[in-house]
Amino acid sequence: MEKNIFKGSILILLGACCYGLLAINVKMAYAEGYSTAEVTLSQFGIGFLVLLLLNVFKKSTPNKANIPVTLQSKFKLMLAGISMGLTSVFYYMAVKYIPVSIAIVLLMQAVWMGVLLEMIVTKRFCGWHKVFSVLVVVIGSIFATNVLEESIVIQWNGIGWGMLAAASYAATMYSTKNIEAQLPALVRSLYLIAGGLLTIMLIFYSAINLEFAYPIIYKWGLIIALFGTILPPLLFTAGMPLTGVGLGAILASIEVPVAIIGANLVLHEQIGIIQWLGIALILVSVVIMNFEKKPSIKI
């Protein structure tokens, strides 16, 4: 059990790191004038094609598990993928109205949303150490994004988009753990992304028929798809069943320090002492979460 939790934790950490790097690439794509529709459509479109090819190639190898993928399973996964598509749309919309640092903090509200969701579904108290870790993550996220030192005017539409992104993110982490968990991660990722792609196509239908900037496909689409729709779903669908959505949500918060450090190295944004303190707090909370020993309490 402990080995499985450790393995799942590593997979989720890697997936979260991909999401942290994703924000940097999306910001650079925006700087070149690309729209939210172009970013999300290219991201999910390329991601779906790559995962489809991987699944076709894998079919040529023996299936040890021999688990059938029924039409019902595909439908459930595609429905679950709706939240994955909405997370990208909501988060990218939030970045248009508020600073990235604020948007990241709002996205990290998925931490307590994920823990709350797990308690509601399982009807079990998550444990005081997990509650403490959630508080540390939230405080650390605020410090790490340097919100307290920024003098800005908050646009409430951006706040709304950010909170919607957090709710969708928490739902995504829950679905990657619970929906058709018996299927291979590669198969589950394909249909989750398919559901997200269809959702985005419905939202941005008009953009497909108008002036879609196709150069984004080879300029930013490939790398954004890699960090946003190919690696994270594979890593999360493999890791979440081993850790649980509550622990997984907290581990996923590592994307905050990754995003900040990446912004410093790539975008040359300055990182102050307060931000380093926030990064340290987040990392400490991750360590605390991996020392769970007492069983949860039935409520």
Side-chain angles (χ1 to χ4, degrees):
M1 178 62 70
E2 291 183 358
K3 289 183 178 179
N4 287 338
I5 293 177
F6 178 77
K7 178 182 177 181
S9 299
I10 295 299
L11 293 172
I12 293 172
L13 287 173
L14 291 175
C17 288
C18 290
Y19 276 139
L21 297 174
L22 171 68
I24 298 171
N25 290 283
V26 170
K27 186 174 182 179
M28 290 190 289
Y30 275 144
E32 294 187 8
Y34 294 108
S35 67
T36 303
E38 291 161 348
V39 170
T40 53
L41 284 170
S42 61
Q43 172 186 337
F44 276 76
I46 294 174
F48 174 75
L49 290 177
V50 171
L51 288 171
L52 179 62
L53 291 175
L54 290 175
N55 274 272
V56 171
F57 176 77
K58 189 175 182 181
K59 284 183 178 180
S60 62
T61 61
N63 185 3
K64 296 180 180 180
N66 196 26
I67 302 175
V69 184
T70 64
L71 183 62
Q72 184 180 16
S73 297
K74 296 176 182 179
F75 182 70
K76 287 181 179 179
L77 288 168
M78 291 181 70
L79 282 179
I82 293 175
S83 64
M84 187 174 291
L86 291 178
T87 299
S88 294
V89 174
F90 293 154
Y91 183 56
Y92 298 162
M93 288 297 294
V95 172
K96 293 181 65 174
Y97 298 105
I98 58 179
V100 174
S101 60
I102 302 295
I104 293 176
V105 170
L106 293 175
L107 187 64
M108 283 302 97
Q109 304 312 300
V111 171
W112 62 263
M113 291 181 183
V115 173
L116 180 61
L117 180 61
E118 185 178 37
M119 286 196 299
I120 293 175
V121 173
T122 63
K123 297 181 179 180
R124 291 181 179 274
F125 179 59
C126 63
W128 289 111
H129 74 290
K130 189 174 289 188
V131 172
F132 175 74
S133 296
V134 168
L135 294 175
V136 173
V137 167
V138 173
I139 295 172
S141 298
I142 294 174
F143 288 160
T145 50
N146 207 24
V147 175
L148 298 179
E149 295 185 8
E150 292 188 9
S151 178
I152 58 175
V153 177
I154 300 296
Q155 298 189 43
W156 290 106
N157 50 356
I159 297 294
W161 287 119
M163 292 302 292
L164 286 173
S168 297
Y169 194 24
T172 297
M173 288 187 288
Y174 176 79
S175 63
T176 54
K177 172 184 180 291
N178 294 278
I179 305 300
E180 301 300 319
Q182 77 281 3
L183 297 177
L186 196 61
V187 174
R188 298 178 68 221
S189 298
L190 173 65
Y191 291 103
L192 285 170
I193 293 301
L197 175 60
L198 289 176
T199 301
I200 293 171
M201 291 178 67
L202 290 174
I203 294 174
F204 295 115
Y205 174 76
S206 60
I208 301 176
N209 298 323
L210 297 176
E211 298 179 1
F212 186 87
Y214 289 98
I216 192 177
I217 294 177
Y218 60 84
K219 281 188 174 181
W220 294 106
L222 289 173
I223 191 167
I224 290 176
L226 179 66
F227 290 144
T229 54
I230 299 175
L231 291 179
L234 288 174
L235 295 167
F236 279 0
T237 51
M240 284 292 177
L242 301 178
T243 63
V245 68
L247 174 57
I250 293 176
L251 291 171
S253 66
I254 197 70
E255 73 177 83
V256 174
V258 169
I260 292 175
I261 294 174
N264 174 259
L265 296 176
V266 178
L267 304 176
H268 306 291
E269 296 181 1
Q270 296 299 316
I271 303 178
I273 296 177
I274 296 298
Q275 288 173 287
W276 284 115
L277 174 61
I279 294 172
L281 287 174
I282 294 173
L283 296 178
V284 167
S285 69
V286 172
V287 174
I288 294 174
M289 286 304 303
N290 282 283
F291 281 100
E292 181 176 0
K293 293 183 179 181
K294 296 181 179 181
S296 54
I297 302 172
K298 186 74 175 180
I299 58 177

